[in-house]
Amino acid sequence: MQNSYSDAYKAAGVDVTAGYKAVELMKAHVARTMTSGVLGGIGGFGGLFEMDLTGMPHPVLCAGTDGVGTKLKLAFLMDKHDTVGIDCVAMCVNDIICCGAKPLLFLDYIACGKNVPEKIATIVSGVAEGCVQAGCALTGGETAEMPGFYPEEEYDLAGFSVGAVDRSKILDPGRVEAGDALVAIASSGVHSNGFSLVRKVFDVEKGGLSQHHDELGMTLGEALLTPTKIYVKPVLAVMEELTVKSVSHITGGGFYENIPRALPNGKRAKIERAAVEVLPIFDLIQKTGGIPEHDMFNTFNMGVGMILAVGREDADRAVAILNAHGERAKVIGQIENGEKGIELC
């Protein structure tokens, strides 16, 4: 790449040499994610991955894509960029496991106003950490310098993941029956949803992110930037031992939108409000913004990042497996006959 430069392009705001430096700086982070299926390294026109289909007589690919959303605004304000990559990976791989699939690979896309190599590499370090937590490989990505489209200090971050599952093991909400238990896994915080409301409630552009809150045990900014929990390994561990009928990833739309997505017609989820361990950050959001409880549960995860529907006889074992993997899990409700939806009581 030593002869690849363009003074004219640089004068227009795009420095191709900065892109090459960013790739060099991120290589060590990407190397952490390499799995046995990866063929070659980064820098080519595509990422090659050889699938291990052992135990999959009828393999099916499952893909998911997402971004970090306006949570990035807090990263800009705090000038902290090493964790938003975890959010990006989490939002994709947590969706994939709702189908019963194991994530295999991930690719990211970073669009920025100005390519600062060290900053891009820091962002990618978070992506790599997310991939390590999910057990998938970062097989490539793209950094696009777009002067005049983004402010110099800002960027957008998105990605997608591809996983695989044997067709016989694809989760089918149609198997959910009355009497099944709903096992909740605790979230790490707000995750990556509802930040347009969060930013409005706290008016973050005017400050306050550095304020320490005793109930949070940290500053407001630290609490809000806490990366999204990645549930891949513990949930797959449950699936290896038990029959998991469906999984809900509690993202934008909270309980009211996401739980019904994993239910068949004629079945509803009855959630015990007292069993939901609402995290302090949500109490602070609700109190500060004067937000009705229904709206809170219809916007945020409220402390529950994922919900598994399992047979009542498997509920205790599912909780034990999840807790053994370092999660905080508990039964928070059950399935009943009725119009598809949820009842929070």
Side-chain angles (χ1 to χ4, degrees):
M1 298 291 187
Q2 61 181 3
N3 294 322
S4 178
Y5 63 88
S6 170
D7 290 335
Y9 208 9
K10 186 174 182 179
V14 177
D15 185 355
V16 294
T17 60
Y20 304 145
K21 182 178 180 182
V23 171
E24 288 301 314
L25 291 174
M26 68 178 68
K27 281 184 176 179
H29 302 302
V30 175
R32 296 180 57 218
T33 76
M34 293 298 97
T35 62
S36 59
V38 177
L39 303 179
I42 62 171
F45 289 100
L48 298 173
F49 191 90
E50 182 179 17
M51 293 175 58
D52 179 1
L53 302 179
T54 303
M56 292 188 193
H58 195 158
V60 176
L61 295 179
C62 178
T65 185
D66 210 335
V68 182
T70 63
K71 184 175 185 175
L72 291 176
K73 286 286 190 179
L74 278 72
F76 304 156
L77 290 168
M78 298 174 64
D79 194 23
K80 180 174 171 55
H81 311 283
D82 59 338
T83 60
V84 290
I86 301 175
D87 291 296
C88 189
V89 175
M91 297 306 294
C92 297
V93 298
N94 285 346
D95 277 354
I96 283 179
I97 58 173
C98 290
C99 296
K102 172 181 169 54
L104 300 175
L105 58 92
F106 187 87
L107 284 87
D108 62 21
Y109 176 78
I110 304 170
C112 58
K114 182 177 181 179
N115 188 334
V116 180
E118 293 78 9
K119 186 174 182 178
I120 297 299
T122 298
I123 297 168
V124 173
S125 73
V127 176
E129 173 59 26
C131 289
V132 169
Q133 292 182 25
C136 65
L138 179 56
T139 57
E142 172 70 12
T143 301
E145 191 172 19
M146 301 170 64
F149 196 88
Y150 292 95
E152 285 194 359
E153 71 279 4
E154 294 190 3
Y155 58 86
D156 196 9
L157 173 61
F160 78 91
S161 183
V162 177
V165 58
D166 188 73
R167 185 166 184 171
S168 66
K169 296 182 179 179
I170 296 174
L171 299 190
D172 178 8
R175 300 173 185 169
V176 174
E177 301 174 319
D180 287 344
L182 296 171
V183 176
I185 315 176
S187 70
S188 54
V190 185
H191 284 183
S192 298
N193 305 104
F195 273 87
S196 293
L197 178 55
V198 167
R199 288 166 46 235
K200 180 178 184 293
V201 166
F202 294 115
D203 202 4
V204 295
E205 280 77 10
K206 293 185 178 179
L209 292 175
S210 61
Q211 181 180 352
H212 187 276
H213 291 260
D214 291 341
E215 66 269 41
L216 303 179
M218 61 186 75
T219 67
L220 176 63
E222 289 170 337
L224 293 175
L225 266 192
T226 299
T228 306
K229 189 81 173 176
I230 292 178
Y231 298 101
V232 172
K233 293 179 180 179
V235 171
L236 289 178
V238 176
M239 291 178 182
E240 288 176 2
E241 290 196 34
L242 305 173
T243 298
V244 176
K245 299 185 179 183
S246 72
V247 177
S248 303
H249 183 199
I250 311 301
T251 55
F255 280 46
Y256 286 96
E257 283 192 22
N258 291 290
I259 297 175
R261 295 168 67 184
L263 300 178
N265 290 329
K267 297 293 182 289
R268 61 189 293 101
K270 185 175 183 180
I271 307 293
E272 298 176 21
R273 172 63 179 82
V276 178
E277 297 182 11
V278 177
L279 296 178
I281 184 62
F282 297 111
D283 290 329
L284 183 61
I285 292 170
Q286 183 175 10
K287 179 181 177 181
T288 304
I291 303 171
E293 184 170 83
H294 179 277
D295 290 6
M296 292 294 295
F297 276 90
N298 209 155
T299 305
F300 301 107
N301 67 62
M302 299 302 286
V304 175
M306 192 155 278
I307 296 177
L308 282 59
V310 301
R312 172 60 63 178
E313 68 280 5
D314 291 329
D316 290 344
R317 181 57 182 155
V319 169
I321 294 170
L322 292 166
N323 290 342
H325 278 77
E327 304 298 330
R328 299 197 328 273
K330 64 184 298 187
V331 174
I332 64 167
Q334 64 180 13
I335 301 298
E336 296 182 343
N337 292 319
E339 183 180 355
K340 183 162 73 169
I342 79 162
E343 178 186 357
L344 196 63
C345 59

